[in-house]
Amino acid sequence: MTQTVLVIEDNKDIAELVALHLRDAGFAVTLAEDGARGLALARGGNYDALVLDLMLPGIDGLSICRELRQQESYLPILMLTAKSSELDRVLGLELGADDYLTKPFSIRELVARVKALLRRQAALVPAAATAGTTLDCGDLHIDSARRSVSIAGREVELTAREFDLLLHFARHPGRVFSRAQLLDQVWGYGHEGYEHTVNSHINRLRSKIEQDPAAPRYVLTVWGVGYKFAEQP
Protein backbone atom coordinates (compact mmCIF):
# COMPACT_ATOMS: atom_id res chain seq x y z
CA MET A 1 0.00 0.00 0.00
CA THR A 2 1.16 3.56 -0.73
CA GLN A 3 2.31 5.29 2.45
CA THR A 4 0.86 8.71 3.13
CA VAL A 5 2.68 11.80 4.39
CA LEU A 6 1.10 15.03 5.64
CA VAL A 7 3.26 18.14 5.14
CA ILE A 8 2.37 21.22 7.21
CA GLU A 9 4.46 24.08 5.84
CA ASP A 10 3.41 27.68 5.20
CA ASN A 11 6.18 28.42 2.68
CA LYS A 12 4.52 27.37 -0.57
CA ASP A 13 7.77 26.88 -2.50
CA ILE A 14 9.27 24.65 0.20
CA ALA A 15 6.02 22.72 0.61
CA GLU A 16 5.69 21.99 -3.09
CA LEU A 17 9.36 21.02 -3.40
CA VAL A 18 9.06 18.61 -0.45
CA ALA A 19 5.83 17.17 -1.86
CA LEU A 20 7.38 16.70 -5.32
CA HIS A 21 10.30 14.69 -4.01
CA LEU A 22 8.23 12.63 -1.58
CA ARG A 23 5.86 11.75 -4.42
CA ASP A 24 8.84 10.81 -6.60
CA ALA A 25 9.87 8.48 -3.76
CA GLY A 26 6.46 6.76 -3.92
CA PHE A 27 4.56 8.53 -1.14
CA ALA A 28 1.07 10.03 -1.34
CA VAL A 29 1.34 13.60 -0.01
CA THR A 30 -1.21 16.03 1.46
CA LEU A 31 -0.25 19.69 1.99
CA ALA A 32 -1.50 22.14 4.62
CA GLU A 33 -0.38 25.79 4.73
CA ASP A 34 -1.40 26.75 8.27
CA GLY A 35 -1.43 25.20 11.70
CA ALA A 36 -5.19 24.97 12.23
CA ARG A 37 -5.85 23.14 8.95
CA GLY A 38 -2.81 20.96 9.44
CA LEU A 39 -3.87 19.92 12.93
CA ALA A 40 -7.40 19.13 11.72
CA LEU A 41 -6.01 16.95 8.92
CA ALA A 42 -3.57 15.19 11.26
CA ARG A 43 -6.35 14.43 13.74
CA GLY A 44 -8.82 13.17 11.16
CA GLY A 45 -6.62 11.65 8.48
CA ASN A 46 -4.93 8.28 8.37
CA TYR A 47 -1.35 9.38 7.70
CA ASP A 48 1.81 7.33 8.09
CA ALA A 49 4.11 10.30 8.83
CA LEU A 50 4.03 14.05 9.37
CA VAL A 51 6.53 16.66 8.15
CA LEU A 52 5.86 19.66 10.39
CA ASP A 53 7.24 23.20 10.20
CA LEU A 54 7.99 24.78 13.58
CA MET A 55 6.93 28.34 12.67
CA LEU A 56 3.37 28.38 11.32
CA PRO A 57 0.57 30.97 11.17
CA GLY A 58 -2.14 30.33 13.73
CA ILE A 59 -1.14 27.22 15.65
CA ASP A 60 2.63 26.69 15.76
CA GLY A 61 4.42 23.40 15.20
CA LEU A 62 5.26 22.83 18.86
CA SER A 63 1.59 23.16 19.85
CA ILE A 64 0.57 20.74 17.07
CA CYS A 65 3.21 18.27 18.21
CA ARG A 66 2.05 18.50 21.83
CA GLU A 67 -1.59 18.07 20.80
CA LEU A 68 -0.95 15.01 18.61
CA ARG A 69 1.00 13.28 21.35
CA GLN A 70 -2.14 13.31 23.51
CA GLN A 71 -3.79 10.92 21.03
CA GLU A 72 -3.61 7.14 21.40
CA SER A 73 -2.51 6.52 17.82
CA TYR A 74 1.15 7.31 17.17
CA LEU A 75 2.12 9.46 14.19
CA PRO A 76 5.87 9.77 13.43
CA ILE A 77 6.83 13.46 13.22
CA LEU A 78 9.76 15.07 11.41
CA MET A 79 10.00 18.70 12.47
CA LEU A 80 11.39 21.46 10.24
CA THR A 81 12.87 24.52 11.91
CA ALA A 82 14.58 27.68 10.75
CA LYS A 83 16.06 28.07 14.22
CA SER A 84 19.53 26.68 14.69
CA SER A 85 19.92 26.71 18.46
CA GLU A 86 20.10 23.36 20.19
CA LEU A 87 17.51 24.53 22.73
CA ASP A 88 14.87 24.87 19.98
CA ARG A 89 15.70 21.44 18.58
CA VAL A 90 15.64 19.78 22.00
CA LEU A 91 12.31 21.45 22.82
CA GLY A 92 10.77 19.97 19.67
CA LEU A 93 12.08 16.51 20.55
CA GLU A 94 10.91 16.84 24.14
CA LEU A 95 7.38 17.65 22.98
CA GLY A 96 7.25 14.47 20.93
CA ALA A 97 8.87 15.08 17.55
CA ASP A 98 10.78 12.00 16.39
CA ASP A 99 13.38 13.89 14.39
CA TYR A 100 14.19 17.37 13.09
CA LEU A 101 15.87 19.16 10.18
CA THR A 102 17.17 22.73 10.29
CA LYS A 103 16.51 24.94 7.26
CA PRO A 104 18.05 25.11 4.74
CA PHE A 105 18.09 21.32 4.40
CA SER A 106 18.86 18.74 1.74
CA ILE A 107 15.71 17.37 0.10
CA ARG A 108 17.42 14.00 -0.33
CA GLU A 109 18.16 13.94 3.40
CA LEU A 110 14.55 14.83 4.22
CA VAL A 111 13.25 11.93 2.10
CA ALA A 112 15.82 9.61 3.71
CA ARG A 113 14.74 10.65 7.20
CA VAL A 114 11.05 10.15 6.43
CA LYS A 115 11.88 6.65 5.18
CA ALA A 116 13.91 5.99 8.35
CA LEU A 117 10.98 7.05 10.57
CA LEU A 118 8.63 4.73 8.70
CA ARG A 119 11.07 1.80 8.86
CA ARG A 120 11.40 2.28 12.59
CA GLN A 121 7.63 2.51 13.06
CA ALA A 122 7.10 -0.65 10.98
CA ALA A 123 9.67 -2.51 13.09
CA LEU A 124 7.86 -1.60 16.33
CA VAL A 125 4.62 -3.32 15.30
CA PRO A 126 5.91 -6.92 14.96
CA ALA A 127 8.14 -6.38 17.99
CA ALA A 128 5.10 -5.46 20.07
CA ALA A 129 3.17 -8.46 18.76
CA THR A 130 5.90 -10.96 19.63
CA ALA A 131 6.92 -9.41 22.93
CA GLY A 132 3.43 -8.86 24.30
CA THR A 133 1.96 -5.54 25.29
CA THR A 134 3.13 -5.33 28.90
CA LEU A 135 6.51 -5.64 30.61
CA ASP A 136 7.24 -5.69 34.34
CA CYS A 137 10.50 -5.22 36.20
CA GLY A 138 10.05 -4.88 39.94
CA ASP A 139 7.70 -1.96 40.56
CA LEU A 140 8.09 -0.75 36.96
CA HIS A 141 5.18 -1.56 34.63
CA ILE A 142 5.30 -0.76 30.89
CA ASP A 143 2.26 -1.02 28.61
CA SER A 144 3.44 -0.77 25.00
CA ALA A 145 -0.10 -0.74 23.56
CA ARG A 146 -1.13 2.27 25.68
CA ARG A 147 2.39 3.71 25.66
CA SER A 148 2.12 4.16 29.40
CA VAL A 149 4.50 3.61 32.31
CA SER A 150 3.79 3.30 36.01
CA ILE A 151 5.88 2.69 39.11
CA ALA A 152 4.16 0.98 42.05
CA GLY A 153 0.84 1.95 40.46
CA ARG A 154 1.79 5.61 40.00
CA GLU A 155 1.59 6.86 36.41
CA VAL A 156 4.82 8.33 35.05
CA GLU A 157 4.70 10.91 32.27
CA LEU A 158 7.34 10.29 29.60
CA THR A 159 7.99 12.00 26.29
CA ALA A 160 7.66 9.92 23.11
CA ARG A 161 11.43 9.41 22.87
CA GLU A 162 11.86 8.60 26.56
CA PHE A 163 9.16 5.94 26.25
CA ASP A 164 10.73 4.42 23.14
CA LEU A 165 14.13 4.37 24.84
CA LEU A 166 12.78 2.69 27.99
CA LEU A 167 10.79 0.14 25.97
CA HIS A 168 13.85 -0.73 23.89
CA PHE A 169 15.92 -1.29 27.04
CA ALA A 170 13.20 -3.30 28.77
CA ARG A 171 12.81 -5.64 25.79
CA HIS A 172 16.53 -6.50 25.98
CA PRO A 173 17.39 -6.90 29.70
CA GLY A 174 21.08 -7.34 30.36
CA ARG A 175 22.13 -6.41 26.83
CA VAL A 176 24.64 -3.57 26.61
CA PHE A 177 24.04 -0.87 24.01
CA SER A 178 26.52 1.78 22.92
CA ARG A 179 25.28 5.32 22.35
CA ALA A 180 25.69 4.87 18.60
CA GLN A 181 23.58 1.68 18.70
CA LEU A 182 20.82 3.44 20.65
CA LEU A 183 20.77 6.31 18.17
CA ASP A 184 20.48 3.84 15.31
CA GLN A 185 17.91 1.54 16.91
CA VAL A 186 15.74 4.00 18.87
CA TRP A 187 16.11 7.23 16.90
CA GLY A 188 16.04 5.32 13.59
CA TYR A 189 19.50 6.24 12.31
CA GLY A 190 22.73 7.76 13.56
CA HIS A 191 22.73 11.48 14.36
CA GLU A 192 26.38 12.24 13.70
CA GLY A 193 27.85 14.29 16.51
CA TYR A 194 24.75 13.95 18.70
CA GLU A 195 25.60 10.96 20.88
CA HIS A 196 25.34 13.30 23.89
CA THR A 197 21.59 13.37 23.09
CA VAL A 198 21.45 9.80 24.41
CA ASN A 199 23.05 10.88 27.69
CA SER A 200 20.59 13.73 28.22
CA HIS A 201 17.58 11.51 27.44
CA ILE A 202 18.79 8.81 29.82
CA ASN A 203 19.39 11.38 32.55
CA ARG A 204 15.83 12.69 32.15
CA LEU A 205 14.44 9.16 32.00
CA ARG A 206 16.24 8.23 35.22
CA SER A 207 14.93 11.35 36.95
CA LYS A 208 11.40 10.10 36.26
CA ILE A 209 11.64 6.33 36.90
CA GLU A 210 14.45 5.94 39.44
CA GLN A 211 13.98 6.47 43.15
CA ASP A 212 17.62 7.61 43.29
CA PRO A 213 18.86 8.65 39.80
CA ALA A 214 22.45 8.65 41.12
CA ALA A 215 22.11 4.94 42.01
CA PRO A 216 19.75 3.61 39.29
CA ARG A 217 17.98 0.26 39.56
CA TYR A 218 16.68 -0.02 36.00
CA VAL A 219 18.82 1.80 33.41
CA LEU A 220 22.45 1.04 34.29
CA THR A 221 25.68 2.56 33.01
CA VAL A 222 28.35 0.20 31.67
CA TRP A 223 31.44 2.39 31.91
CA GLY A 224 33.37 2.81 28.70
CA VAL A 225 30.69 1.01 26.67
CA GLY A 226 27.18 2.39 27.10
CA TYR A 227 24.01 1.38 28.94
CA LYS A 228 21.91 -1.66 29.74
CA PHE A 229 18.60 -2.51 31.41
CA ALA A 230 18.72 -4.44 34.68
CA GLU A 231 18.21 -8.17 34.36
CA GLN A 232 15.34 -9.78 36.23
CA PRO A 233 16.51 -11.48 39.45
CSV table of all heavy atoms in Angstrom, one decimal, residues 110-139:
chain,number,residue,atom,x,y,z
A,110,LEU,N,15.9,14.8,3.7
A,110,LEU,CA,14.5,14.8,4.2
A,110,LEU,C,13.8,13.5,3.8
A,110,LEU,O,13.2,12.9,4.7
A,110,LEU,CB,13.8,16.0,3.7
A,110,LEU,CG,12.3,16.1,4.2
A,110,LEU,CD1,11.9,17.6,4.5
A,110,LEU,CD2,11.3,15.6,3.3
A,111,VAL,N,13.9,13.2,2.6
A,111,VAL,CA,13.3,11.9,2.1
A,111,VAL,C,13.8,10.7,2.8
A,111,VAL,O,13.1,9.8,3.3
A,111,VAL,CB,13.4,11.8,0.6
A,111,VAL,CG1,12.9,10.4,0.1
A,111,VAL,CG2,12.7,12.9,-0.1
A,112,ALA,N,15.2,10.7,3.0
A,112,ALA,CA,15.8,9.6,3.7
A,112,ALA,C,15.4,9.5,5.2
A,112,ALA,O,15.1,8.4,5.7
A,112,ALA,CB,17.3,9.8,3.7
A,113,ARG,N,15.2,10.7,5.8
A,113,ARG,CA,14.7,10.6,7.2
A,113,ARG,C,13.3,10.2,7.3
A,113,ARG,O,12.9,9.5,8.3
A,113,ARG,CB,15.0,12.0,7.8
A,113,ARG,CG,16.4,12.4,8.0
A,113,ARG,CD,16.7,13.5,9.0
A,113,ARG,NE,18.1,13.9,9.0
A,113,ARG,CZ,18.6,14.6,10.0
A,113,ARG,NH1,17.8,15.0,11.0
A,113,ARG,NH2,19.8,15.0,10.0
A,114,VAL,N,12.4,10.6,6.4
A,114,VAL,CA,11.1,10.2,6.4
A,114,VAL,C,11.0,8.6,6.3
A,114,VAL,O,10.3,7.9,7.0
A,114,VAL,CB,10.2,10.8,5.3
A,114,VAL,CG1,8.9,10.2,5.2
A,114,VAL,CG2,10.0,12.3,5.6
A,115,LYS,N,11.8,8.1,5.4
A,115,LYS,CA,11.9,6.7,5.2
A,115,LYS,C,12.4,6.0,6.4
A,115,LYS,O,11.9,4.9,6.8
A,115,LYS,CB,12.8,6.3,4.0
A,115,LYS,CG,12.2,6.7,2.6
A,115,LYS,CD,13.2,6.3,1.5
A,115,LYS,CE,12.6,6.6,0.2
A,115,LYS,NZ,13.6,6.3,-0.9
A,116,ALA,N,13.4,6.6,7.1
A,116,ALA,CA,13.9,6.0,8.4
A,116,ALA,C,12.8,5.9,9.5
A,116,ALA,O,12.7,5.0,10.2
A,116,ALA,CB,15.1,6.8,8.8
A,117,LEU,N,12.1,7.0,9.6
A,117,LEU,CA,11.0,7.1,10.6
A,117,LEU,C,10.0,5.9,10.3
A,117,LEU,O,9.5,5.3,11.2
A,117,LEU,CB,10.3,8.4,10.5
A,117,LEU,CG,11.0,9.6,11.1
A,117,LEU,CD1,10.1,10.8,11.0
A,117,LEU,CD2,11.4,9.4,12.6
A,118,LEU,N,9.6,5.7,9.0
A,118,LEU,CA,8.6,4.7,8.7
A,118,LEU,C,9.2,3.3,8.9
A,118,LEU,O,8.4,2.4,9.3
A,118,LEU,CB,8.2,4.9,7.3
A,118,LEU,CG,7.3,6.2,7.1
A,118,LEU,CD1,7.1,6.5,5.6
A,118,LEU,CD2,6.0,6.1,7.8
A,119,ARG,N,10.5,3.1,8.6
A,119,ARG,CA,11.1,1.8,8.9
A,119,ARG,C,11.0,1.5,10.3
A,119,ARG,O,10.7,0.4,10.8
A,119,ARG,CB,12.5,1.8,8.4
A,119,ARG,CG,12.7,1.6,6.9
A,119,ARG,CD,14.1,1.2,6.5
A,119,ARG,NE,15.1,2.1,7.0
A,119,ARG,CZ,15.5,3.2,6.4
A,119,ARG,NH1,15.0,3.5,5.2
A,119,ARG,NH2,16.5,4.0,6.9
A,120,ARG,N,11.4,2.5,11.1
A,120,ARG,CA,11.4,2.3,12.6
A,120,ARG,C,10.0,2.0,13.1
A,120,ARG,O,9.8,1.1,13.9
A,120,ARG,CB,12.0,3.5,13.3
A,120,ARG,CG,11.9,3.5,14.8
A,120,ARG,CD,12.5,4.8,15.3
A,120,ARG,NE,12.0,5.0,16.7
A,120,ARG,CZ,10.9,5.7,17.0
A,120,ARG,NH1,10.2,6.2,16.0
A,120,ARG,NH2,10.5,5.8,18.2
A,121,GLN,N,9.0,2.7,12.6
A,121,GLN,CA,7.6,2.5,13.1
A,121,GLN,C,7.1,1.1,12.7
A,121,GLN,O,6.5,0.4,13.4
A,121,GLN,CB,6.7,3.6,12.5
A,121,GLN,CG,5.3,3.5,12.9
A,121,GLN,CD,5.1,4.0,14.4
A,121,GLN,OE1,6.1,4.4,15.0
A,121,GLN,NE2,4.0,3.9,15.0
A,122,ALA,N,7.5,0.7,11.5
A,122,ALA,CA,7.1,-0.7,11.0
A,122,ALA,C,7.7,-1.7,11.8
A,122,ALA,O,7.1,-2.8,12.1
A,122,ALA,CB,7.5,-0.8,9.5
A,123,ALA,N,9.0,-1.5,12.3
A,123,ALA,CA,9.7,-2.5,13.1
A,123,ALA,C,9.1,-2.6,14.5
A,123,ALA,O,9.1,-3.7,15.1
A,123,ALA,CB,11.1,-2.1,13.2
A,124,LEU,N,8.5,-1.6,15.0
A,124,LEU,CA,7.9,-1.6,16.3
A,124,LEU,C,6.6,-2.5,16.4
A,124,LEU,O,6.3,-3.1,17.4
A,124,LEU,CB,7.5,-0.2,16.8
A,124,LEU,CG,8.7,0.7,17.1
A,124,LEU,CD1,8.1,2.1,17.5
A,124,LEU,CD2,9.5,0.2,18.3
A,125,VAL,N,5.9,-2.6,15.3
A,125,VAL,CA,4.6,-3.3,15.3
A,125,VAL,C,4.8,-4.8,15.5
A,125,VAL,O,4.3,-5.4,16.4
A,125,VAL,CB,3.8,-3.1,14.0
A,125,VAL,CG1,2.6,-3.9,14.0
A,125,VAL,CG2,3.5,-1.6,13.9
A,126,PRO,N,5.7,-5.5,14.7
A,126,PRO,CA,5.9,-6.9,15.0
A,126,PRO,C,6.6,-7.2,16.3
A,126,PRO,O,6.4,-8.2,16.9
A,126,PRO,CB,6.8,-7.4,13.8
A,126,PRO,CG,7.4,-6.1,13.2
A,126,PRO,CD,6.3,-5.1,13.5
A,127,ALA,N,7.5,-6.2,16.7
A,127,ALA,CA,8.1,-6.4,18.0
A,127,ALA,C,7.1,-6.4,19.1
A,127,ALA,O,7.2,-7.2,20.1
A,127,ALA,CB,9.2,-5.3,18.2
A,128,ALA,N,6.1,-5.5,19.0
A,128,ALA,CA,5.1,-5.5,20.1
A,128,ALA,C,4.3,-6.7,20.1
A,128,ALA,O,3.9,-7.3,21.1
A,128,ALA,CB,4.2,-4.2,19.8
A,129,ALA,N,4.0,-7.3,18.9
A,129,ALA,CA,3.2,-8.5,18.8
A,129,ALA,C,3.9,-9.7,19.4
A,129,ALA,O,3.2,-10.5,20.0
A,129,ALA,CB,2.8,-8.7,17.3
A,130,THR,N,5.2,-9.8,19.1
A,130,THR,CA,5.9,-11.0,19.6
A,130,THR,C,6.3,-10.8,21.1
A,130,THR,O,6.4,-11.8,21.8
A,130,THR,CB,7.2,-11.2,18.8
A,130,THR,OG1,8.0,-10.0,18.9
A,130,THR,CG2,6.9,-11.5,17.4
A,131,ALA,N,6.5,-9.6,21.6
A,131,ALA,CA,6.9,-9.4,22.9
A,131,ALA,C,5.8,-9.3,23.9
A,131,ALA,O,6.0,-9.3,25.1
A,131,ALA,CB,7.8,-8.2,23.0
A,132,GLY,N,4.6,-9.1,23.4
A,132,GLY,CA,3.4,-8.9,24.3
A,132,GLY,C,3.3,-7.4,24.5
A,132,GLY,O,4.2,-6.6,24.2
A,133,THR,N,2.2,-7.0,25.1
A,133,THR,CA,2.0,-5.5,25.3
A,133,THR,C,2.4,-5.0,26.6
A,133,THR,O,2.6,-3.8,26.8
A,133,THR,CB,0.5,-5.2,25.1
A,133,THR,OG1,-0.3,-5.9,26.1
A,133,THR,CG2,0.0,-5.6,23.8
A,134,THR,N,2.7,-5.8,27.6
A,134,THR,CA,3.1,-5.3,28.9
A,134,THR,C,4.4,-6.0,29.3
A,134,THR,O,4.7,-7.1,29.0
A,134,THR,CB,2.1,-5.6,30.0
A,134,THR,OG1,1.9,-7.0,30.1
A,134,THR,CG2,0.8,-4.9,29.6
A,135,LEU,N,5.2,-5.2,30.1
A,135,LEU,CA,6.5,-5.6,30.6
A,135,LEU,C,6.6,-5.2,32.1
A,135,LEU,O,6.2,-4.1,32.4
A,135,LEU,CB,7.7,-5.1,29.8
A,135,LEU,CG,7.9,-5.6,28.4
A,135,LEU,CD1,8.9,-4.7,27.7
A,135,LEU,CD2,8.4,-7.0,28.4
A,136,ASP,N,7.1,-6.0,32.9
A,136,ASP,CA,7.2,-5.7,34.3
A,136,ASP,C,8.7,-6.0,34.8
A,136,ASP,O,9.2,-7.0,34.5
A,136,ASP,CB,6.3,-6.5,35.2
A,136,ASP,CG,4.8,-6.1,34.9
A,136,ASP,OD1,4.4,-5.0,35.4
A,136,ASP,OD2,4.1,-6.8,34.2
A,137,CYS,N,9.2,-5.0,35.6
A,137,CYS,CA,10.5,-5.2,36.2
A,137,CYS,C,10.4,-4.6,37.6
A,137,CYS,O,10.4,-3.4,37.7
A,137,CYS,CB,11.6,-4.6,35.4
A,137,CYS,SG,13.2,-4.8,36.1
A,138,GLY,N,10.3,-5.4,38.6
A,138,GLY,CA,10.1,-4.9,39.9
A,138,GLY,C,8.8,-4.1,40.0
A,138,GLY,O,7.7,-4.5,39.6
A,139,ASP,N,8.9,-2.8,40.5
A,139,ASP,CA,7.7,-2.0,40.6
A,139,ASP,C,7.4,-1.3,39.2
A,139,ASP,O,6.3,-0.6,39.1
A,139,ASP,CB,7.9,-0.9,41.6
A,139,ASP,CG,8.0,-1.4,43.0
A,139,ASP,OD1,7.4,-2.5,43.2
A,139,ASP,OD2,8.6,-0.8,43.9
